[in-house]
Every structure is written in C-alpha cells, then in structure tokens.
Amino acid sequence: MKKTALLFILVFYSVFLFAQTEKKPLTHDDILKWERISEKNISNDGKFIVYSQEPWKGDATLKITTPKGEEQASVKCATNAKITADSKFVIFTLKTPEDSIRQLKLKEIKKEDLPLDKLLIYQFENKKTDTIERLKSVKVPEKWPGWLAWQAEAPKDTTQKEKPKGKNGDKVFPLSVKNLSTGEVAEFPAVSDYLFAEEKEMLVFVSEGKDSTFEAGIYILNLPRLTPEKIFGKGKIKQLSVQKTGEKVAFLADISDEKKKETIYSLYLWNGRDSATEVLTNSDSSVPESWQISENGRLSFSDSGNRLFYGTAQKKAPKDTTVLEEEIPVLDVWTWNEEVLQTEQIYNKQRDLKKTYLAVYDIGSQKAVQLETEKISRIVQVNNGDADKLVAWSNRPYAVQTMWEGSPEHNDFYLVDIFTGKADKIKTDVRATPRVSPEGKFLYWYDAMDTTWHTFNINTLTEFTVAVPGSIQSADELNDVPNPPSSYGVAGWIKNDLSLLINDRFDIWIVEPENRIAPYNLTQNGKSKNISYRLVRFDESSVFGRSDEKGIDPEETMILLGRNEISRTDSYYSVSLKNGSAPKELFSGNFSLNTPVKAKDANVVVFTKENFQTYPNLLATDLSFKKQVQISNAAPQQNDFLWGIAELVSWTSLDGRKLEGTLHKPENFDPSKKYPMIVNFYEKSSQELYSYRMPENHRSTIDYHYYTSNGYLVFNPDIYYKTGYPGEDAFNCIMPGVTALIDKGFVDEKHIGAQGHSWGGYQVAYLATRTNLFAAIESGAPVVNMFSAYGGIRWSSGMNRSFQYEHTQSRIGKSIWDAPLRYLENSPLFTLDKINTPILIMHNDDDGAVPWYQGIEFFIGLRRMQKPAWLLNYNEADHWPLQVRDKTDFQIRMAQFFDHYLKGKPMPKWMEEGIPATEKGTDLGYELED
C-alpha cells in the first residue's frame, strides 16, 4: 500500500515537473492570437451580458451569457452588438472571415465585389436568429423597444452599370423597418437618410422614389403603423432632424431646378400635422449680408421642442470661369500676425470650409436670430437650448500667443441673448474654458493661473470663487512642467444644481455654488489614507461632460473607485451624502480595477480586476461586490506560457529624491542567476504596478510579457523633472535605479538595454551620450536637436512646436533666444561623438508629431561618425506604425536587435547586410547570420 502510494506520488510529481517544463516562451505569432475584450453590453434588465473577444489578427467572437456565467451563444466574426431597450433582442453585424477576404484579395477580386456584412437579430428567450444579407446600415432605438431599421443592398445586377444615387450624389438603398414583436417588415425604396425619434415610436426617412409606385419625398412612420405619411415632396434634402418626442421634423431643402449649379437651401419644419412648410430663407433679415443658411450646419431642437437651431455661413465667392486653373499661382502666404499659423489653417482647411455659425428659429414667434458671430470661438446651449442665454467664449484676441504658450488658452467669456443675439462680455482674459451646470443655472471654470474654481450665476450675473488652495488643493500637486498646473477635475453636480463635487488629489469635496456654506469633504479620509477617490457614474446621461449631463441624486448611495498611492492597489467604496460617514470599502485586493458598468434597471454590475499575472476577464456581481462570477475566459492559453511577476522597487536619485519604479521578472526567477535587462520608461509608470499589460505587438514600446517570457528583466523607473534640464533629470533618476538593481546581483551589467519612444525616445538618446552602460538602445521618434525641433511643425495638427519647449513636456521653460545653452545641453545631436552604444532608430516619414528629420539627423550623425546604427522607416505610418503587419515587423526587428546585443544571438541579415531598395518588399531579412 505504501509502495503504491509512493509510486503515485512520484508519478504525480514527475508529471507536474514535466508540465512545468513544458511551458514555453511567447512568440510574436502567439501574441497576434491573444484576445482582448473589445465590447461589453448589459441588457437593461440585467439578465444578459454580451461581449466580444477579439485577437490582434483574426476574427472576433461575440459571446452571449448570463450574470451566472451561463453561455447562451458564441458567434464567430460578429461585432457591433446593440441590445434592444426591452432586453429581448441583441442586434449585431456578421463579417466575412478575415482569411476568406484575404483569399479573395489574392485572387484580385475588386473591393466593390467583396462580400458585404450581414445583420443578425438574436432573440434571447428562444435563441432564434434572423439573418439579413448585404447590410449597408442599421439603427436601433436606444430608449424604446420593439423596432429595427436597416438598409441592405440588393443582389448585384450585372445589367446595371452603377447603383442609383440620390439628389445629393449619395448612393441610396431600400429601407426595411421591422416590428420585432410580430416579425412584420415594411420596405421603402431608394432611401438616402433615416432617423428614429429619441423617445417616441416614430421614424422619419428621405426617399428618392421609385417610378410611379412611390413618390420621392420625406415620410414619417408613426409606429406600430407601417403606412408612411408623406410630409414633403421632391427636392435636395440635407440635415434631417427629428425632435425627441417625434412631434416635429426639420430639414434643409432646395426645390429649385435640379440642373442649376448653385444650391440654395431653405429651412423647413413639419409641426406634427399636414405637410412641412418653408419657415426661413436667405432673404430673412436675421441672415447676415453675404451669408446663407448652410447645408453643413446641424439642425437640432431644444429639449422642449420650441426652438430649432441651425447653422449659417458666408457665401463662397464664385469661381472665375475666365481664368484657367494653370494660370492661378499655387502658393501659401504666411503672415506674421495672422491669428492661426498657415500650417494649422491648411490642416483644418476642409473643416473650416464647412464651418457654420449657430442661429435659432423660435417656432412659436416664427422669429430667427443669428447667435454666433465670427468673433466667437465656441458657443454652447444652456439647459439644452431652452434657456434665454447661451454661453460663448473667444480666444481670438489672444490667438497668436497660443503658438508659444499652448494651453490653457486665454479666453473672453460671453452670455448671448437668445432673443436678440447680443453678446455681453462677462469675463476678460481668463486661462480657462467655461462649462455649464446640468440645470443651466451656473457657469463654472477652473482658473489655471491662481488654481481656483469659480461659479457664475447666469440669472443674477454674480461670480463666486468657490474653491481656493487654502480650502481645496484642486491643482495638480505633482505638476512638473513650466506651465500652470491642471486641476483634478470635478465629479459632477448634485441634482437641481445644488452643489458641485470638486476633486483634489485624494478627496471629493461638496461645494455650494454661491458660498452659502463652507466646502465639505465628502470622502473625509483620502489624504490621510493616501487613497485617491473618484466617483463612478453609471448612467450615461449623468456622465460628467456630456451635453445631456444629469445631476446626481443625493438620495442614492454613490460608488467610488479608490487607488492607494502607496500600495498601488484599487478598491471599490460606497458613500452616502445623507449619513456623513467616510467611504465604506466594498472590495479590495492587489489588483487594478476598472470603472464598472451597471444594468440600467437592475442591480447587476460587470467589472474587471487585473494585475501583471491576472487577465482582466469580465466579472458579474451586484453593487455589494460580494459574490463575483467570472463571465469570460478570454486567455486560457496563458497557462501554457512562461509568464512573470511585477514588483515595486525603490532607490534614491542622484539629487537625493526617493524614487520608485516597477521591476518585471521572468517566471521562476532565480536571484542567484544573472539576467539581461531592458530599461523602458516614459515619465512615471509605477502606478501601473498592477496593470495586466495586454500582450500586444505594440506600435512603439516593448511588450513586457514577451520579454519576461523570453528571460529578460524589464525595469520601468519613475522620472521627476525640474524646469530647464529634462535630459539631466532623466539621467539623475534612471541611472541610480539601474545601478541599484545591479547591486542586487541578478542583473547582467554587461547586457542592459534601453528603449523608449517619442519623449522616451529623446531620453534614451540623451542617456546614450552620457553613459556607456547600455549595450543596446532602441530610440523611437526622438528629438535630438531641440533648436531645429523648436521651430518645427507638428504636422498632425499644423501647430508650431515651440509651446512644448517653453511650457509643456520638453520642459525647457524659455525660448531658444532666452536660453540657447539649455537647448544645446539638452540636445543629444551635439554630443553624438560620445556615443559608443549601438542604436536602433524607428522614425517614419509621415510622422505628424515629431518631424522625421529629427530621426534623420540622429542617423546621419551616427553614420558620419561610423557608429553602429539602423533606422526603420514605415512608409505608411505616422508617429508610430498602426497596421498589424508593421507593428509585428517592428517588434520582430527590435527583439532581434536586443537578442543580438543582450543575449549574444546571431545578427539578422537586415542588420548585417541591410535591405537594398531593389529588394524592398521581397526580402524581409529576418534570417539570422551565422
């Protein structure tokens, strides 16, 4: 018996050891198959959870399950799920498998002949699925149930040369409207636009008609009746809009001769009966001279439906038909004092050509008023358009200095009278942008210059300073750029605009908007416990910052997400405005937690918890967070791979500051061995200690799991900066951290690499000029010459780069004329002769953030001095490659580069011999050279 038991133990132990040794290191192909959860939806009744698992390369899978983890369906190639308001159906798109599309492309099938998506209608109760072929568009009402509308393309007619087009030149398709309860479907021909009303069972659509059987025009369907009611006839239609209760419809139309080149739109309104009528034309006195009602201005009704907002714009100058195109000079004229730099104007040209200025038509009085003028930068409605005032602000008097100052912008604030359009200035030159409280009683803003919060009563025209540093430290305490500190933001407003919730670094404060009572610390103990509390908003209509934001109900218990700044752990808490108690902990652990999602009408919550080893699978629970059920299992293969652990490490900087960072170790780490190490950083990342770091062939950084799985240490140090010396600050923080780890005995000091991108790319380039400790460095999109970069352009926006050197991330704090030596000392280009480290550079010729010539200057300088260097330029990439093929290629080459210099593996062909331009696209050069 004892021998049998002993034999069993030995066999079990040997099998266990065998299983342990069978774990394998991650490859880039393995990472491409790694699935992340890209969609999640909960039915309003909380009975069903729909989510998507999507690999980096391949087809997504839609999962339908219950909060108990009971899987109802799994659909490959499905995406874009929407659950109906009555929780009975889920509507989603079914795509053709990626490999099938690839095979068709290999056969050179034309894009227009590739298979179209399908629409699937899945019924939760009986698990029945209906399929619609050749889908073009679909819409599901969000707030009311029972109906679905879609457009599908008819099977291809080989006798038809091209698909029918509407009056506006857009392709038109049939519209199908389905009663999901009865299954009844109605179809309407040649529809160019369609909309559901937000709150009522009503649909409006525009049809181009079908011979004599169905006239062109605008129709409404008052559901459940599927008999259309025509409210307007033939014409060019733009900006279809329906009031939320379906009682009114508005649109722009031109019913003049179709052959006429110029299109002139009028504003039309259907008021719930008979036909739509023309209510406003360009001849109205409210339309400024040489202006017109613009086809690009979105139409919207006020919340009550009593006002209709539209856009106007200047008429475009007619083209001179007596001049040939080839006779017109092609140039850009740059003017020293124009408000916006010419490159920004060019970048925004298409947007600016469609720019419109807000106007309003009062339906009761039938009067129109121009509200916005060219002096205004932005205008917003108050109380969803039903207030007597609007809020506007203008940066125009201060626009030029934005080039070097950056944000926050200087603004003048205005209140605009909705009845007259008169704009009254209420604040001059404030470094802030005003916001409006949910009920429209107050403006409020954070003044970056004195770090105070202000409110402004719109009715009494009275301003209040409601938070000052002496009472609430609302400014970023860790701000380390030469710019006014940003705020920690606000959590929202209590219902009826009674109070504003302002965040400081740790706590949430209740602030009375007119200072009638002193601010009150709702969370009480955040600072003493080093916990940063932040309010969780479940209802989308109550999410702070939305145009339809609602106030917080003071009767309801609020859920908080808290992060301990010392331990880096997250917790959920509950807190009540009524009982005055400190937050009550609901769930905590050595995890990073996400913002949970709640069912609208049920106590069902879905959230994730993660750390470096724990995948963020979906968990279902209730608001107590006590009983948790794992819903998803998206990465079961993780158990097959060597993984790793993450821990917090500390050291002292060269200038005496206590610092922390994260160290990521391989699985089965042995402190008696020496490991190669890669130092990867940006600014501060130690708060991400418990981040899972989803395996990915990243666009710009190393994948931590790939490197720990392949026997590397990864060190990510926090960096603190002073104004004027960013390179020196990086050196002072990073290098003693590296040497502190070397002193522990498990780091192979001769095989340490460094990697960073953009700001990180600059810093690793600077380190290469100061130390020979690194055996290899990858520097992505680095700035190496701050003089030329200062005068450069961020092509992704057209903005000049000077602001970021004087005020933001580059942290020089002065211009090149005020402090030329700082630009010299912080520029690696001028000390490239001191570099003895092999450098891999990745910089792309279409980079819109850092001028590509920075990477070229770096490479040319190293080449001139005959230093080992390589430059990767992905031709179809911006600041970083985004296509999976390019990201994977970058990761393969970077791994081969580090493996050669840090592990002694053979050099790949692309490094040893290069890839001649004549072999571009045919020879990748991955093979290792013996």
Side-chain angles (χ1 to χ4, degrees), residues 247-509:
E247 297 170 5
K248 298 180 179 72
V249 174
F251 52 91
L252 302 180
D254 181 353
I255 59 173
S256 58
D257 183 1
E258 293 184 13
K259 297 179 181 179
K260 184 186 64 174
K261 289 186 177 181
E262 185 182 12
T263 305
I264 300 175
Y265 287 97
S266 297
L267 180 63
Y268 284 78
L269 176 69
W270 178 73
N271 212 354
R273 56 187 179 277
D274 301 325
S275 299
T277 57
E278 183 182 61
V279 295
L280 191 70
T281 69
N282 290 328
S283 62
D284 190 88
S285 60
S286 66
V287 181
E289 187 177 353
S290 301
W291 284 38
Q292 62 186 359
I293 299 169
S294 173
E295 65 180 270
N296 299 309
R298 187 176 73 90
L299 302 187
S300 66
F301 289 94
S302 65
D303 213 32
S304 65
N306 294 328
R307 292 168 179 163
L308 175 60
F309 294 89
Y310 60 98
T312 60
Q314 287 188 346
K315 293 179 180 178
K316 299 294 184 293
K319 188 175 180 179
D320 189 345
T321 57
T322 66
V323 179
L324 294 172
E325 198 76 32
E326 64 201 54
E327 296 173 339
I328 302 173
V330 181
L331 84 163
D332 305 317
V333 178
W334 296 37
T335 306
W336 72 276
N337 61 349
E338 59 187 339
E339 292 178 8
V340 180
L341 194 64
Q342 190 71 200
T343 48
E344 288 185 69
Q345 294 182 44
I346 294 169
Y347 179 80
N348 294 319
K349 181 179 177 181
Q350 293 307 312
R351 184 199 69 184
D352 291 343
L353 284 171
K354 295 181 179 181
K355 180 176 175 57
T356 63
Y357 297 85
L358 189 68
V360 65
Y361 175 78
D362 185 85
I363 296 172
S365 66
Q366 301 182 0
K367 179 184 177 183
V369 178
Q370 182 67 41
L371 300 170
E372 186 179 6
T373 64
E374 290 177 294
K375 76 175 183 179
I376 297 299
S377 301
R378 181 80 190 276
I379 189 168
V380 295
Q381 298 173 21
V382 177
N383 200 19
N384 295 316
D386 283 322
D388 294 342
K389 303 286 185 182
L390 294 90
V391 178
W393 58 93
S394 177
N395 169 251
R396 295 193 62 175
Y398 321 100
V400 174
Q401 66 205 65
T402 301
M403 186 182 89
W404 59 86
E405 284 189 347
S407 63
E409 290 184 339
H410 299 253
N411 279 308
D412 296 337
F413 298 174
Y414 295 86
L415 287 179
V416 180
D417 190 293
I418 202 161
F419 301 110
T420 66
K422 184 175 182 292
D424 293 318
K425 187 192 290 187
I426 58 171
K427 293 290 291 184
T428 300
D429 192 10
V430 184
R431 297 291 295 272
T433 300
R435 300 168 180 168
V436 184
S437 61
E439 298 295 326
K441 297 176 183 178
F442 296 94
L443 302 185
Y444 63 106
W445 63 90
Y446 166 77
D447 191 321
M449 301 313 293
D450 60 6
T451 67
T452 55
W453 278 97
H454 300 257
T455 61
F456 184 91
N457 188 311
I458 294 176
N459 292 323
T460 65
L461 305 181
T462 309
E463 180 182 345
F464 304 89
T465 302
V466 295
V468 297
S471 60
I472 303 174
Q473 186 60 49
S474 52
D476 181 4
E477 296 179 26
L478 302 179
N479 179 59
D480 61 3
V481 296
N483 205 48
S486 59
S487 77
Y488 289 105
V490 303
W493 283 77
I494 302 300
K495 271 188 175 180
N496 298 318
D497 291 349
L498 290 178
S499 302
L500 173 63
L501 301 183
I502 295 178
N503 299 325
D504 70 11
R505 179 176 173 181
F506 299 104
D507 289 299
I508 303 173
W509 294 76

Side-chain angles (χ1 to χ4, degrees), residues 27-56:
T27 68
H28 296 107
D29 285 339
D30 294 324
I31 290 174
L32 286 175
K33 300 171 187 174
W34 217 267
E35 294 187 336
R36 72 264 189 217
I37 296 172
S38 54
E39 296 180 33
K40 59 177 179 286
N41 301 274
I42 309 178
S43 60
N44 287 342
D45 64 6
K47 293 181 179 179
F48 298 97
I49 299 166
V50 180
Y51 65 95
S52 179
Q53 294 181 187
E54 184 176 359
W56 298 109

Side-chain angles (χ1 to χ4, degrees), residues 149-151 173-177 186-191 193-194 203 205:
W150 70 85
Q151 288 182 291
F173 301 96
L175 174 69
S176 297
V177 182
E187 184 176 292
F188 309 100
V191 170
D193 196 7
Y194 63 106
L203 181 140
F205 65 89

Side-chain angles (χ1 to χ4, degrees), residues 660-692:
E660 291 180 309
T662 55
L663 178 64
H664 304 260
K665 298 176 177 178
E667 187 168 314
N668 301 323
F669 170 77
D670 184 347
S672 66
K673 294 182 179 180
K674 286 186 179 288
Y675 295 85
M677 182 171 76
I678 295 178
V679 184
N680 168 265
F681 54 89
Y682 193 77
E683 290 192 359
K684 297 177 183 69
S685 300
S686 67
Q687 289 295 330
E688 299 174 19
L689 171 66
Y690 290 111
S691 170
Y692 177 70

Side-chain angles (χ1 to χ4, degrees), residues 543-585:
V543 171
F544 167 71
R546 284 175 58 109
S547 60
D548 59 346
E549 178 192 355
K550 303 297 183 185
I552 300 164
D553 187 346
E555 298 296 317
E556 293 183 358
T557 298
M558 295 186 286
I559 301 297
L560 307 177
L561 176 58
R563 166 158 293 182
N564 189 301
E565 286 196 0
I566 304 300
S567 68
R568 274 67 171 180
T569 58
D570 285 354
S571 305
Y572 293 126
Y573 298 85
S574 65
V575 69
S576 172
L577 285 171
K578 297 193 309 181
N579 62 24
S581 300
K584 176 186 175 183
E585 185 178 280

